Amino acid sequence: MTTAVAPKRRRLMPRWRDYGRPRELVVRYLLLLLVLGLTVGPLLWQLLASLKSTGEDVFGANATLLPHHPTLRAYRTIFDQVPVGTYIRNSLIVVALSVTSQLVFSTTAGYMLSKPGWKGRKAVWVVLIASMMFPFESIMVSLFLSIRDMGLVDHLAGVWLPGFVGAINVLLMRGAFLAVPREIEDSAMLDGANEWQRFRHLYLPSAWGAILVVVINTFISAWDDFLWPLIVLRSESNMTLTLGLSRLQNSSFGYDQRMVMAGSVISVIPVLVLFVITQRWFYKGVSSGAVKL
């Protein structure tokens, strides 16, 4: 008579060796702490410097990391001296226009590039890849002349137009649409779905992660853009947030290092909030929308 052997219970808690050797684990955490310090450290230092009182040094041998008497005086001064509300409104207008145009045209163009059977598809794809090799500074002068000829200098439309659609976003959406199995589309065609219905109900929901990546990348680039608004815009009423806050360094306001730090913190807060909320889907979208040859 044989006795049944009870199955061995599966260990729920991972063993220390599951993560590697202790020395390797220490090295990993040290590298992670180093990367964290290099990325988050400057922002944290700016935040702490903006909270310092007038008598505390921001730079120099007597400067300390933590403020001795934290105060919001720099932030109150900025909102009193600078029309921050106008700058934020202008930035939001440019961001909304950029995100809308990028979504509409990058998804439709990426969808067309993912569909086989039409001539010139490879040529368009190669042109998009080649256009990413040229830096913005190389076309900046000709781009400004075009904006000037259209009469869009000192207009928010002139700031938005160069970000109408981006090649990287088109290729990202193309890669996401290529990941949709062909069999699913064939089934939808047998059910009587036309081109628009397949695009709207099949491809767009499947590429939700890549769409979110396009939104985040477009938001960050449009919100943080400084060089192009500096070239195009003239009047204060049309300035974006990053351009308007740069006036804090002018002598007309009295140069205050704490105000400059506070302005940098104000401009980066929306980007941080957006990324923290959407980071989970952002990383999934990056992997699912990888460019495929």
Side-chain angles (χ1 to χ4, degrees), residues 9-254:
R9 295 181 61 185
R10 185 178 181 182
R11 187 181 181 89
L12 298 179
M13 296 298 294
R15 297 184 179 89
W16 178 268
R17 62 174 177 269
D18 294 338
Y19 295 102
R21 298 179 180 179
R23 183 178 300 177
E24 297 177 355
L25 189 63
V26 172
V27 173
R28 291 178 185 177
Y29 277 103
L30 289 177
L31 292 176
L32 288 175
L33 290 176
L34 177 62
V35 173
L36 181 64
L38 293 176
T39 54
V40 182
L43 179 61
L44 181 61
W45 175 76
Q46 287 183 344
L47 176 62
L48 295 175
S50 66
L51 298 177
K52 290 185 176 182
S53 59
T54 307
E56 300 181 65
D57 294 333
V58 178
F59 303 102
N62 298 326
T64 58
L65 179 62
L66 299 176
H68 297 292
H69 305 285
T71 178
L72 297 176
R73 183 194 62 85
Y75 294 91
R76 291 194 296 266
T77 305
I78 287 178
F79 282 93
D80 291 339
Q81 294 186 356
V82 180
V84 179
T86 302
Y87 298 157
I88 293 177
R89 181 200 63 191
N90 296 335
S91 294
L92 289 177
I93 292 175
V94 175
V95 166
L97 292 174
S98 300
V99 170
T100 302
S101 62
Q102 288 279 3
L103 281 179
V104 172
F105 291 96
S106 64
T107 53
T108 53
Y111 176 73
M112 293 303 300
L113 287 176
S114 66
K115 307 296 291 184
W118 57 280
K119 295 182 179 180
R121 183 171 65 96
K122 291 290 185 180
V124 173
W125 185 81
V126 171
V127 170
L128 289 176
I129 292 291
S131 65
M132 298 169 57
M133 301 174 58
F134 299 96
F136 174 75
E137 289 76 11
S138 63
I139 62 173
M140 186 170 56
V141 176
S142 59
L143 188 60
F144 174 76
L145 295 177
S146 301
I147 295 296
R148 186 194 62 181
D149 294 339
M150 290 186 289
L152 296 179
V153 175
D154 200 21
H155 287 80
L156 294 179
V159 179
W160 156 69
L161 196 58
F164 185 79
V165 64
I168 183 63
N169 292 330
V170 174
L171 298 178
L172 183 68
M173 295 308 305
R174 172 185 177 271
F177 291 145
L178 284 175
V180 178
R182 180 67 181 177
E183 294 78 9
I184 299 179
E185 184 178 11
D186 294 338
S187 300
M189 294 176 62
L190 292 176
D191 291 337
N194 55 31
E195 193 78 28
W196 169 250
Q197 290 174 336
R198 297 196 301 272
F199 172 70
R200 180 181 177 184
H201 299 289
L202 176 60
Y203 280 90
L204 288 182
S206 301
W208 171 248
I211 291 174
L212 189 59
V213 173
V214 172
V215 171
I216 295 177
N217 288 339
T218 305
F219 182 95
I220 293 175
S221 61
W223 183 270
D224 291 340
D225 192 13
F226 174 78
L227 179 59
W228 183 245
L230 178 64
I231 297 174
V232 175
L233 300 178
R234 300 289 184 269
S235 58
E236 183 179 9
S237 60
N238 290 326
M239 288 185 178
T240 57
L241 183 63
T242 53
L243 181 59
L245 291 179
S246 66
R247 301 174 65 244
L248 296 173
Q249 303 184 28
N250 297 337
S251 58
S252 58
F253 291 106

